[in-house]
Amino acid sequence: MTRPPPSARTSTLRFRTPLVVGLVAVLAAIVIALGHPLLKPSSDSTATPGQDSTPFLPAPSLSDRPPSHAPHRESRGALDESDGVVPDGVTVLDDEVPAVANLDAELLDALRRAARNAADDGVTFTVNSGWRSAAYQKELLRKAVAQHGSEAEAARWVATATTSPHVAGDAVDIGPDRATDWLSEHGSAYGLCRIYRNEPWHFELRTDAADRGCPRRYADPTQDPRMRQ
């Protein structure tokens, strides 16, 4: 086949070059209009005014949340029911459980009278903690110091073995919330009173409460003169 003369080839190349350049320019304009990710600024670039550059953080897990305070149920080592450890589901009527049976007789009688009347309202008193041995109380205090970081802060929640009314059988921790709410409203008629504002589950016997009402509550056990002996 006969080749075209040099002048013809040159004319063809001159014709194609503008066409290619034009196509490239059109394609670049389309890419920019569509916002191709390769042409977007990187995440390290400064955000423009009005843009929210704050990253979304995941919600904290349960383990990240501060521990809530609750009636003491934990045990350690050889501690068992004979030390006052309470199995699940125990009520104020369970005589065979030492945490209940070793409570002061008048306190236990008042609790049982209140529990019978509360049952008419569909409320059951469960015992989260009652009488405790000195060993159990010491273990609870040790754990409280470890949890709160100091003896002073732990004292807001757990008394020593020599000052705790639980060791003396003079205090009971009641649950669930419906029961504590019921006792907060009706307990004074039976001599049953909340003692500390930070422990809505903790009740003790005040025999004159039926006539005079329950005494003013302490903010926490550190405000209770009995804890300073």
Side-chain angles (χ1 to χ4, degrees):
M1 183 172 61
T2 304
R3 291 186 177 183
S7 59
R9 289 200 305 270
T10 303
S11 300
T12 302
L13 291 174
R14 289 176 182 174
F15 173 77
R16 289 177 180 176
T17 300
L19 178 61
V20 172
V21 172
L23 287 174
V24 170
V26 170
L27 289 174
I30 294 174
V31 168
I32 292 173
L34 294 176
H36 195 280
L38 292 177
L39 299 179
K40 288 185 178 180
S42 67
S43 58
D44 295 333
S45 61
T46 304
T48 59
Q51 287 182 323
D52 183 5
S53 59
T54 303
F56 291 97
L57 299 178
S61 65
L62 290 177
S63 61
D64 294 329
R65 298 174 186 172
S68 59
H69 298 285
H72 305 291
R73 300 185 69 98
E74 65 268 43
S75 62
R76 180 183 175 87
L79 295 174
D80 56 24
E81 287 188 31
S82 65
D83 290 290
V85 177
V86 183
D88 291 337
V90 169
T91 74
V92 297
L93 304 177
D94 291 325
D95 283 327
E96 69 277 10
V97 178
V100 176
N102 291 343
L103 288 172
D104 173 78
E106 289 186 83
L107 171 60
L108 186 54
D109 178 68
L111 283 168
R112 288 175 171 175
R113 286 188 288 110
R116 293 187 187 99
N117 290 335
D120 294 336
D121 295 330
V123 177
T124 300
F125 293 177
T126 59
V127 177
N128 291 324
S129 193
W131 167 85
R132 302 172 190 153
S133 69
Y136 188 17
Q137 189 67 31
K138 289 177 181 177
E139 176 60 17
L140 291 175
L141 181 57
R142 184 196 68 79
K143 292 175 75 71
V145 171
Q147 176 183 355
H148 297 290
S150 70
E151 292 183 1
E153 183 62 21
R156 297 183 59 241
W157 303 100
V158 182
T160 66
T162 57
T163 61
S164 172
H166 283 279
V167 175
D170 293 332
V172 62
D173 293 345
I174 292 293
D177 290 345
R178 287 189 66 199
T180 58
D181 290 344
W182 193 96
L183 275 176
S184 293
E185 183 177 355
H186 305 289
S188 61
Y190 307 89
L192 298 170
C193 296
R194 277 183 57 187
I195 306 301
Y196 308 118
R197 290 200 300 272
N198 70 328
E199 294 189 1
W201 52 80
H202 180 107
F203 288 85
E204 298 181 26
L205 183 67
R206 299 292 183 266
T207 55
D208 57 352
D211 298 323
R212 301 182 181 182
C214 289
R216 184 177 179 180
R217 297 168 187 163
Y218 300 112
D220 59 57
T222 62
Q223 304 300 312
D224 188 343
R226 298 176 299 171
M227 302 297 114
R228 304 169 191 166
Q229 298 174 1

